[in-house]
Amino acid sequence: KYEFYWGYKNHVICDAISGLPIDEYTSTADINGISTLTKFLSSTNSWSSLNGSYVIADKGYDSKSNHNFIKNNLKGLAFI
């Protein structure tokens, strides 16, 4: 007998030049990306500086609050 578990998302921050992962976060599928991005970036920024970074993300993370967080808190640019 097998049991299958569905409905997880893996959020990964990668270095765009080397392609190496910097941090990862796994959430259940019922959590949308919009609500997790600022917490995820803050957590990563606490141990690896993301200040001045260009953040490239898909439309699942697109919101005014995420753009403002990247601009105002990280002093970076968002390409979402």
Side-chain angles (χ1 to χ4, degrees), residues 10 12 22 28 31 36 48-49 55 60 75:
N10 199 29
V12 181
I22 297 170
T28 57
I31 309 277
T36 62
S48 178
S49 179
V55 177
K75 308 297 184 227

Side-chain angles (χ1 to χ4, degrees):
K1 261 189 160 179
Y2 293 97
E3 259 186 78
F4 294 98
Y5 298 95
W6 301 99
Y8 293 95
K9 294 187 225 178
N10 199 29
H11 311 268
V12 181
I13 296 176
C14 289
D15 178 69
I17 295 170
S18 67
L20 295 173
I22 297 170
D23 199 2
E24 72 87 27
Y25 166 70
T26 303
S27 69
T28 57
D30 62 336
I31 309 277
N32 63 29
I34 290 173
S35 64
T36 62
L37 185 63
T38 57
K39 288 183 242 174
F40 187 34
L41 290 174
S42 292
S43 171
T44 304
N45 192 44
S46 70
W47 58 268
S48 178
S49 179
L50 297 176
N51 293 326
S53 294
Y54 296 150
V55 177
I56 304 168
D58 69 13
K59 67 181 181 178
Y61 298 97
D62 192 19
S63 74
K64 184 81 169 167
S65 64
N66 286 342
H67 282 271
N68 287 337
F69 177 83
I70 293 164
K71 178 183 171 189
N72 299 326
N73 294 57
L74 299 178
K75 308 297 184 227
L77 294 173
F79 298 94
I80 303 176

